[in-house]
Amino acid sequence: MPAALKFGFTPFARPRGVLVVFCDENLKFGPATQRILAPAGDLVRRAATADRFIGKQGTSLDIVAPSGLNLPRLVVLGVGKESELKSHDIVKLGGIAMGKLPAPAATATIFAEFASGPLKADQVADMALGARLRAYTFDLYKTKRKDDDARPDRIEVNFACSGANAVEKAWVKSSAIADSVAFARDLVNEPANVLYPGEFARRASSLSKLGINVEVLDVPAMRKLGMGALLGVGQGSAHDSRLVVMRWNGGKRGVDPVAFIGKGVCFDTGGISIKPAQGMEDMKGDMAGAACVVGLMRALAARKAKVNAVGAIGLVENMPDGKAQRPGDIVKTMSGQTIEIVNTDAEGRLVLADVLHYVNKRFKPKFMINLATLTGAIIVALGQEYAGMFSNDDKLAERLAKCGETIGERVWRMPLGPEYDKMIDSKFADMKNTGGRWGGAITAAQLLQRFVGKTPWVHLDIAGTAMGSPQTDTNQSWSSGWGVRLLDHLIEEYYER
Ligand code: BES
Ligand code: MN
Ligand code: ZN
């Protein structure tokens, strides 16, 4: 049972419930915190000595029923060197604070103050964002509560801060982002019997209530456009494919939009080139790129971003069936180029080939960024810490890399080049859909590049970062919602002027 989470922002005053406070590496507290802790005398200092707590960033000291304070529990969180804190460190501290709340706690107060004094409004909002991301759970399908699950139905977290009005305002933006990350995570966590292309399209359509224009193209519409590659992937499924186009026009009229394209393979069995059984259940998350695009569009609309943005997602299910496509089949893409299918499990690039071309032709975007759980090879190359980044545009790639460092969703640039491109030339068609075992993430990117023309473009291979990722201070769920914050930040930093 998910607990309802309520946040409040109030001035520094007597705390209620579990109290979380912050100190630096000299065990120094801010003035409001000192005042609140005064009745406890030297309790914190003695506990710190006993526990060898020295205030290092991310470490904590737990004191149950602290004498003199009339609180169930006091949690002291170390922030390390305050001057070195980046925005993402504060998001992480919020996540750590949330993770420190003991199971039965229904009420907590977080004193949003470091040794030098109260946090700025943006910093409090960052901290609350981290707490919200940390608290995310997906237990929609758990009908029984475990005996040892002592969590209350409702948790109230109060951030004591200064300038509560400014904080409330900053929180409008950050909570829009938090909700949108959660929206993306939900989509990825949903099983494929629930979230097939039609249902995914319906959920994306719900964004229209935020002012997003949503169009859903069905199979006949896509056939008319000549999207043979996308349709070939979906033809073995009982669930029809969809293409969803979302538009948010918060910028000046007539200004070219920025565009985001997502791989939405609602389930990837591999098709006739079927995958082994072990771990195949994870392929319900093969639509994480599409989920990120939907989450991003939701965030832009919810915080009324001053930008014109297009989001387009290709939704298919890759199944083996009497009607499924075969290895050796040749499909014609909307761009006119033909592709020989040598492995039906290399399906994501086929879907993206048509959607990239469609978006480029219809919207003439400033740039296109696509996200896809495209290859196992990128996980071999980079593990789960960085997403693979491929680009034909140094400026856009550098901007993304910088944003990634700032907000903690990092990207590592990978090479492209004619030598790799050659590897997907085909005996029978313009290209084939795999280039063999070596450099598998790169040859996949080369295929995509054949469909973007001269438009500045980035491909993010998120197979390692979007799902099954290690639990972090800001995510305990199987899916991470990777990319929503990264791309939202990119737009805020560079494209809202
Ligand atoms: N969806 C998979 C890639 C993937 C693997 C995502 C593991 C997340 C975790 C993709 O469609 C795929 O099957 N790629 C193949 C390509 C190969 C057949 C050229 C792969 O990576 O093995
Ligand atoms: Mn596949
Ligand atoms: Zn796939």
Side-chain angles (χ1 to χ4, degrees):
M1 225 66 76
L5 182 61
K6 193 178 164 282
F7 283 172
F9 303 94
T10 56
F12 293 102
R14 248 175 62 83
R16 292 191 305 124
V18 175
L19 173 63
V20 182
V21 298
F22 300 90
C23 72
D24 70 4
E25 285 196 317
N26 302 314
L27 294 188
K28 197 169 166 260
F29 295 101
T33 310
Q34 282 177 29
R35 238 174 291 130
I36 274 308
L37 295 183
D42 65 351
L43 171 72
V44 171
R45 200 156 284 279
R46 283 189 293 120
T49 309
D51 214 23
R52 295 208 186 164
F53 173 79
I54 53 169
K56 270 214 192 117
Q57 191 183 133
T59 61
S60 65
L61 179 67
D62 244 324
I63 307 173
V64 180
S67 73
L69 289 183
N70 193 21
L71 293 169
R73 183 186 294 246
L74 171 68
V75 179
V76 182
L77 268 186
V79 305
K81 286 203 178 53
E82 206 182 313
S83 57
E84 289 171 11
L85 288 177
K86 286 185 296 192
S87 134
H88 184 59
D89 294 321
I90 296 175
V91 176
K92 275 210 275 199
L93 283 170
I96 296 171
M98 196 68 210
K100 280 283 149 198
L101 302 188
T107 315
T109 303
I110 297 179
F111 257 47
E113 176 186 66
F114 293 158
S116 69
L119 301 192
K120 297 193 202 76
D122 283 350
Q123 294 177 312
V124 182
D126 272 347
M127 189 172 272
L129 170 67
R132 177 77 142 256
L133 293 176
R134 171 63 174 251
Y136 172 87
T137 55
F138 184 79
D139 23 25
L140 201 55
Y141 300 102
K142 294 206 187 261
T143 64
K144 294 188 183 71
R145 201 184 257 251
K146 287 203 200 89
D147 288 343
D148 59 355
D149 185 355
R151 278 182 308 161
D153 293 330
R154 191 184 148 84
I155 302 174
E156 228 184 287
V157 179
N158 192 40
F159 290 84
C161 53
S162 76
N165 278 342
V167 173
E168 289 276 7
K169 222 175 123 202
W171 178 237
V172 170
K173 194 179 94 187
S174 297
S175 68
I177 295 166
D179 290 346
S180 302
V181 173
F183 196 90
R185 286 180 184 173
D186 280 347
L187 289 170
V188 178
N189 280 325
E190 282 282 14
N193 59 328
V194 173
L195 196 78
Y196 48 89
E199 174 61 16
F200 196 139
R202 272 192 288 281
R203 296 202 189 182
S205 300
S206 75
L207 298 193
S208 61
K209 63 174 182 277
L210 292 171
I212 293 178
N213 175 295
V214 186
E215 291 165 69
V216 179
L217 282 70
D218 59 7
V219 170
M222 288 188 277
R223 202 172 284 134
K224 221 160 148 191
L225 288 163
M227 296 191 166
L230 185 155
L231 290 170
V233 175
Q235 77 189 29
S237 169
H239 294 294
D240 282 343
S241 305
R242 297 279 190 280
L243 171 63
V244 179
V245 181
M246 296 156 277
R247 275 179 294 165
W248 167 250
N249 290 318
K252 284 212 184 72
R253 255 184 99 100
V255 172
D256 288 342
V258 294
F260 302 92
I261 291 95
K263 168 179 173 180
V265 177
C266 293
F267 196 79
D268 181 14
T269 64
I272 296 300
S273 315
I274 198 162
K275 287 180 181 297
Q278 172 110 49
M280 202 204 275
E281 68 275 15
D282 284 355
M283 286 301 114
K284 71 174 185 178
D286 208 17
M287 30 54 72
C292 172
V293 170
V294 175
L296 171 67
M297 296 302 291
R298 191 193 178 287
L300 295 178
R303 70 172 183 81
K304 302 199 168 52
K306 292 190 179 55
V307 68
N308 295 335
V310 173
I313 55 179
L315 302 172
V316 301
E317 187 181 54
N318 188 20
M319 298 291 274
D321 175 82
K323 294 205 282 290
Q325 71 180 348
R326 294 147 290 255
D329 283 6
I330 294 174
V331 295
K332 187 166 187 147
T333 63
M334 180 183 172
S335 77
Q337 302 178 85
T338 55
I339 307 179
E340 180 193 4
I341 311 299
V342 298
N343 188 323
T344 63
D345 196 12
E347 83 297 340
R349 61 201 77 181
L350 300 169
V351 173
L352 290 172
D354 274 333
V355 184
L356 283 165
H357 176 81
Y358 172 80
V359 168
N360 200 22
K361 190 171 164 205
R362 177 171 170 196
F363 296 106
K364 309 249 174 314
K366 260 210 249 320
F367 66 68
M368 296 197 284
I369 296 179
N370 76 258
L371 300 103
T373 47
L374 205 61
T375 67
I378 201 67
I379 313 177
V380 175
L382 298 175
Q384 303 199 286
E385 300 308 319
Y386 285 80
M389 172 168 68
F390 301 83
S391 183
N392 61 3
D393 189 274
D394 292 344
K395 192 167 108 190
L396 185 57
E398 273 160 33
R399 285 177 170 183
L400 260 174
K402 205 163 146 230
C403 290
E405 295 300 325
T406 309
I407 67 109
E409 291 176 347
R410 293 177 298 175
V411 299
W412 193 264
R413 189 158 180 193
M414 301 281 288
L416 289 166
E419 303 80 2
Y420 295 112
D421 189 68
K422 252 194 350 233
M423 292 166 72
I424 55 168
D425 286 340
S426 155
K427 275 201 291 289
F428 300 105
D430 296 333
M431 69 196 88
K432 54 186 178 182
N433 76 330
T434 75
R437 233 160 54 80
W438 293 354
I442 306 172
T443 48
Q446 291 293 164
L447 189 141
L448 301 184
Q449 192 176 13
R450 291 188 182 202
F451 294 86
V452 302
K454 292 201 158 47
T455 304
W457 156 78
V458 164
H459 154 51
L460 297 172
D461 194 335
I462 59 172
T465 54
M467 56 173 163
S469 2
Q471 296 190 330
T472 65
D473 294 330
T474 50
N475 184 37
Q476 300 284 299
S477 167
W478 179 74
S479 76
S480 61
W482 194 97
V484 174
R485 292 183 55 224
L486 173 68
L487 299 174
D488 179 77
H489 188 71
L490 177 81
I491 288 180
E492 187 184 19
E493 279 288 295
Y494 299 107
Y495 298 97
E496 284 194 57
R497 251 131 263 182

